[in-house]
Amino acid sequence: MTRVFQVGAGSGGMPVLDLLALDRRIDHVTLVEPDVYQSHNVDRHWFPPSAVGRPKVELAREWLAERRPDLVVDVIPGDLLDTQLQDRFDAAIAHADLGVCAVDNEPAKYHFDALMRRHGKPWTLGEVLSGGIGGFVHWFRPGGACYGCVASFLKRGVEPEPETPPPDYSQPQAAIREARIPASKSAVVAIASWHACLTQALIDNPKGFDPGFTTVLVSLQKIAGIFPDMFRVHRWSIVRSPECLLCRPPDHDIAAEDLDGALHDALERLAHE
Ligand SMILES: [Zn+2]
């Protein structure tokens, strides 16, 4: 059975959670989400207007209880970056098989990545582009490219800078922005469905999972100068960057004897070539 640690029960996180919760291989979910359901959420969310004012984690818990009464659901109503909650996150992740990241801000993605790497757990990430014109799905494994490696490959900044020019989607590797322009519910759910499919494929084969990519970008609209077609898929296999300051193994001091031994071995090999 599979235990999932998910952060985000917003318009993107809730459909992922809904789809995954119907997968009976999953028997335990820990859900982290700080927000209260608001009136502007109603157009793109799973919950009705009568739910406005209630914490999203509680609404999600009730949603899951109605559909999967056997599913164990732990909720943590707080922010992933809250220093007071890190012990609870560590405890939950230590017992999880994989992570599902459905947050909409860069600091939380970087922190999620750091937590997963610390515990050696694989995870998936879904991102809807501004205006719902498309989206990304990514997966990460211990020892592979981290979110920093992927963000660097995709030429994303660590922090969104409001003064920078708009992203150039004709260059899919160019910087992207979060979905600041609201996306339609259909666009959000489309990317969430890809995110759930990817996560279920990871559950199918947790040890040897290799879908042939790290990151997929799919266009959901045809936009002149941005996406030449609707439903065009770009995919990249991204390897861990030796330069990445986030996932680079800690430098250790190499003993002088080891260096001497390595030099001796190298000279020996040269002498016999
Ligand atoms: Zn890295």
Side-chain angles (χ1 to χ4, degrees):
M1 297 304 281
T2 301
R3 295 170 71 109
V4 173
F5 178 80
Q6 176 166 336
V7 178
S11 58
M14 199 53 216
V16 176
L17 184 62
D18 179 48
L19 292 165
L20 292 180
L22 297 177
D23 185 326
R24 299 211 169 251
R25 294 174 298 177
I26 296 173
D27 63 346
H28 189 287
V29 172
T30 300
L31 181 64
V32 180
E33 166 65 57
D35 289 347
V36 165
Y37 195 57
Q38 297 183 52
S39 54
H40 70 259
N41 295 139
V42 173
D43 287 347
R44 293 190 293 145
H45 218 296
W46 255 216
F47 309 127
S50 59
V52 167
R54 300 188 54 211
K56 288 178 182 171
V57 276
E58 291 303 330
L59 296 168
R61 195 213 302 260
E62 289 169 12
W63 178 277
L64 296 172
E66 285 176 10
R67 288 156 183 84
R68 274 287 307 277
D70 59 313
L71 182 69
V72 179
V73 181
D74 292 331
V75 298
I76 304 179
D79 191 294
L80 189 66
L81 301 175
D82 186 339
T83 52
Q84 307 289 314
L85 294 173
Q86 298 308 309
D87 288 347
R88 286 184 71 185
F89 299 149
D90 277 326
I93 296 166
H95 291 102
D97 296 292
L98 57 94
V100 173
C101 186
V103 300
D104 63 358
N105 67 87
E106 292 300 301
K109 291 175 201 169
Y110 279 97
H111 190 59
F112 193 98
D113 176 75
L115 289 169
M116 290 296 135
R117 271 186 293 112
R118 186 192 307 163
H119 290 277
K121 303 294 167 84
W123 60 287
T124 59
L125 169 66
E127 303 171 298
V128 179
L129 292 174
S130 185
I133 64 171
F136 284 95
V137 291
H138 320 258
W139 76 284
F140 302 88
R141 62 177 175 80
C146 77
Y147 180 69
C149 294
V150 169
S152 167
F153 179 87
L154 296 172
K155 299 187 167 49
R156 296 179 182 180
V158 172
E159 288 287 345
E161 295 161 40
E163 303 306 314
T164 53
D168 176 4
Y169 295 117
S170 64
Q171 302 295 317
Q173 286 179 244
I176 69 143
R177 292 290 171 268
E178 307 298 337
R180 298 293 179 231
I181 303 169
S184 67
K185 183 171 179 176
S186 49
V188 173
V189 173
I191 299 304
S193 298
W194 283 53
H195 188 185
C197 283
L198 182 62
T199 305
Q200 287 176 297
L202 179 59
I203 294 170
D204 287 341
N205 186 11
K207 294 283 179 243
F209 185 56
D210 180 11
F213 62 83
T214 310
T215 290
V216 159
L217 169 65
V218 57
S219 64
L220 295 176
Q221 294 178 29
K222 177 178 177 177
I223 307 277
I226 299 177
F227 288 133
D229 306 298
M230 192 175 182
F231 301 153
R232 177 170 289 206
V233 175
H234 305 264
R235 61 181 72 210
W236 298 275
S237 283
I238 302 170
V239 295
R240 195 168 70 75
S241 166
E243 310 302 317
C244 180
L245 295 175
L246 298 176
C247 64
R248 193 171 64 183
D251 294 331
H252 5 211
D253 295 320
I254 301 171
E257 309 85 270
D258 293 341
L259 279 177
D260 287 346
L263 181 61
H264 175 78
D265 291 345
L267 290 172
E268 282 284 302
R269 281 197 300 277
L270 282 172
H272 291 98
E273 265 173 15

